Amino acid sequence: EVHLVESGGGLVKPGGSLRLSCAASGFTFSDYSMNWVRQAPGKGLEWVSSIDRTSNFRPYADSVRGRFTISRDNAENSLYLQMNSLSAEDTAVYYCARSEYSGSISYYDYWGQGTLVTVSS
Amino acid sequence: DIQLTQSPSFLSASVGDRVTITCRASQGISSFLAWYQQKPGEAPKLLIYAAFTLQTGVPSRFSGSGSGTEFTLTISSLQPEDFGTYYCQHLHSYPRAFGQGTKVEIK
């Protein structure tokens, strides 16, 4: 069974850094692209970043580009999100999600339970 | 960047009603669209991908249609467990985007 478990969230001061992790199990992690999606309290879903199987393609949302870095360790079956220069606008639940494909059409078929990041002084 | 606009933002319907949610894309996205359901305190759950393909295990009362710029999610007979917020997402290009969500309440 596919499982995605995020960790690393917590309370951080503005300007601070945090590294999120997503531990994957139940599938061959290296065969799948992965994604981070966030949700501010009471708000909708926002795509943050994606990473392909070999880490060669890593697009970012404009709101995080230059501050966040997505990475993965296929040997450890883990996805990461390094977040720097955090501000209150980054306060959200962060979800990792797996990309599956039907031909050339992708979709996010499995999601973790999320980890809460709170940026506050 | 491609934007998605969902309508309505909120709907209240009775058990057994037919419910339709619309998602409009700011430019053509072919069939690169997915629908998700999210209940309070839970992660989103995939319902439909490639605009109309039902994810395994999702009840057949859910259906998707459309292509290009206009898409719909239909629940043929609303059930009590269908409450929650529904989001469309395009996967045509980067940045990916979600619609703003449609909150469904059971009367």
Side-chain angles (χ1 to χ4, degrees):
Chain A
E1 186 180 357
V2 172
H3 280 292
L4 298 171
V5 180
E6 301 93 338
S7 61
L11 177 63
V12 61
K13 289 182 167 51
S17 298
L18 213 54
R19 189 196 196 205
L20 306 184
S21 300
C22 172
S25 60
F27 64 103
T28 303
F29 182 71
S30 58
D31 285 348
Y32 292 84
S33 296
M34 297 295 295
N35 313 276
W36 287 101
V37 175
R38 69 183 180 182
Q39 186 170 37
K43 303 297 185 182
L45 302 171
E46 179 187 15
W47 171 80
V48 173
S49 183
S50 300
I51 186 167
D52 69 0
R53 293 175 295 171
T54 57
S55 303
N56 286 329
F57 182 60
R58 297 185 284 177
Y60 296 91
D62 287 348
S63 57
V64 307
R65 187 178 297 113
R67 300 187 299 120
F68 289 13
T69 302
I70 191 172
S71 62
R72 65 190 296 162
D73 184 334
N74 288 340
E76 295 292 326
N77 296 327
S78 292
L79 174 72
Y80 304 103
L81 187 68
Q82 177 67 43
M83 305 186 296
N84 298 331
S85 302
L86 286 162
S87 70
E89 289 67 41
D90 298 314
T91 294
V93 173
Y94 286 74
Y95 297 100
C96 67
R98 188 181 83 165
S99 283
E100 179 59 283
Y101 285 84
S102 174
S104 62
I105 299 178
S106 70
Y107 49 96
Y108 298 177
D109 62 343
Y110 285 95
W111 297 62
Q113 85 290 348
T115 187
L116 176 62
V117 172
T118 303
V119 184
S120 175
S121 55
Chain B
D1 296 358
I2 297 171
Q3 283 85 45
L4 298 178
T5 304
Q6 286 182 235
S7 59
S9 297
F10 173 84
L11 72 88
S12 181
S14 300
V15 173
D17 283 354
R18 182 180 182 88
V19 167
T20 298
I21 299 169
T22 298
C23 177
R24 289 188 173 87
S26 59
Q27 58 186 272
I29 57 171
S30 184
S31 297
F32 291 82
L33 190 97
W35 289 96
Y36 303 90
Q37 175 197 58
Q38 186 181 34
K39 296 185 177 181
E42 297 184 4
K45 172 189 172 184
L46 175 69
L47 299 175
I48 302 278
Y49 63 91
F52 58 83
T53 303
L54 197 66
Q55 171 69 344
T56 303
V58 174
S60 60
R61 62 181 180 273
F62 291 94
S63 65
S65 65
S67 69
T69 61
E70 186 149 340
F71 302 84
T72 58
L73 173 70
T74 299
I75 308 174
S76 60
S77 177
L78 192 68
Q79 298 302 301
E81 61 267 29
D82 297 338
F83 73 93
T85 302
Y86 292 79
Y87 296 94
C88 57
Q89 180 200 22
H90 87 78
L91 300 109
H92 176 272
S93 56
Y94 289 95
R96 307 299 204 208
F98 292 87
Q100 80 277 17
T102 295
K103 186 174 183 179
V104 173
E105 173 193 271
I106 310 296
K107 279 183 184 173

